[in-house]
Amino acid sequence: DGETVWAANCFYIWLPRRTAFVLLTSTGTRHGTMMAARPAVSGCVAGQPENIAEIKGVQFAAQARRLSGDDAEAMRSRYEERFPIARLMPAETWLLQAEFLKYTDNSLGFGFKMSWAATSG
């Protein structure tokens, strides 16, 4: 929010063609309030393997935007297909549009990394 940072664990769906994550959260949550005020966000998607050679994950920087109208309904429907319990959640639908992704996969060689950045225009 410009003064503090806050991490949030979120269930998400990945939209490869849009290079974006979709998640649900209320603007009443701490992270929802912060994303609404300052949409630049970052995160990490990774498992917790016991063997260091199996570490895989993605770090990202994105712009968060609360969806509305038809786009919100369509994305919410896709989210609820993946997570049916979400039908019970009174929360807003958010799109995190990736600007930068860094993929790490130790199964391809210790410390293997691959990066992607959005292009302007």
Side-chain angles (χ1 to χ4, degrees):
D1 67 1
E3 296 179 20
T4 59
V5 295
W6 187 252
N9 293 312
C10 300
F11 291 95
Y12 67 91
I13 59 172
W14 171 245
L15 305 175
R17 291 187 179 175
R18 291 178 73 169
T19 321
F21 300 90
V22 174
L23 59 91
L24 300 185
T25 196
S26 168
T27 53
T29 63
R30 185 170 181 179
H31 58 278
T33 300
M34 292 171 80
M35 285 192 307
R38 294 188 54 129
V41 299
S42 64
C44 179
V45 177
Q48 295 293 314
E50 290 185 30
N51 183 341
I52 194 168
E54 297 173 359
I55 292 174
K56 297 178 186 179
V58 173
Q59 294 168 274
F60 68 88
Q63 290 293 317
R65 177 172 57 96
R66 192 173 35 188
L67 298 176
S68 61
D70 291 343
D71 204 20
E73 286 182 34
M75 291 300 112
R76 173 103 192 195
S77 178
R78 287 180 70 176
Y79 189 94
E80 289 175 355
E81 278 181 39
R82 175 70 177 89
F83 304 108
I85 192 73
R87 292 183 180 102
L88 304 174
M89 293 175 57
E92 289 82 21
T93 306
W94 295 76
L95 184 80
L96 276 57
Q97 183 64 57
E99 294 181 327
F100 180 80
L101 299 166
K102 182 173 81 172
Y103 176 64
T104 299
D105 186 343
N106 281 353
S107 73
L108 299 174
F110 184 76
F112 174 85
K113 294 177 181 9
M114 181 175 15
S115 296
W116 172 89
T119 57
S120 301

